[in-house]
Amino acid sequence: MEVKKTEIQKQKKFIAGLRADGFLVFKINDSYIAGFPDIIAIKEGKVRFIELKNLDRRGAKLSLEQKHLHEKMKEHGVEVEVIWI
């Protein structure tokens, strides 16, 4: 039986991959601002805001808070990437 990785393990692997690719990476604690993206990744003057979603969670989708804040960020010229892991 294949053991599924936990969401935290998947996030750590994703972050390790970004760091291996030369990004400065910050994992954001969601208790600061409801809906804020999980990760800020910086490389060569470019900033990426990334929301990670777990493929193993049935019905996993953006929360209302995430949708609202991501839309507000977009209004200010900032895109949030949603990546399913």
Side-chain angles (χ1 to χ4, degrees):
M1 179 173 140
E2 181 181 335
V3 178
K4 291 185 178 181
K5 293 182 180 178
T6 67
E7 189 168 357
I8 292 172
Q9 289 171 320
K10 288 180 174 186
Q11 287 181 358
K12 286 181 179 181
K13 183 177 180 180
F14 184 84
I15 290 169
L18 286 172
R19 288 185 173 140
D21 197 31
F23 283 89
L24 174 62
V25 180
F26 299 94
K27 171 72 174 98
I28 306 302
N29 181 330
D30 63 358
S31 66
Y32 294 118
I33 301 172
F36 198 81
D38 296 315
I39 295 171
I40 299 173
I42 304 168
K43 181 178 176 182
E44 298 174 357
K46 303 263 192 295
V47 180
R48 295 172 63 187
F49 292 88
I50 303 169
E51 179 66 39
L52 297 177
K53 288 294 179 189
N54 189 346
L55 284 171
D56 293 334
R57 292 181 68 188
R58 288 182 178 240
K61 58 185 178 181
L62 293 176
S63 69
L64 291 177
E65 292 87 357
Q66 289 169 328
K67 288 177 184 178
H68 177 74
L69 186 56
H70 296 184
E71 185 60 34
K72 287 291 183 191
M73 292 173 75
K74 186 175 183 177
E75 289 172 10
H76 289 274
V78 177
E79 291 291 329
V80 177
E81 299 173 61
V82 179
I83 298 177
W84 296 86
I85 56 172

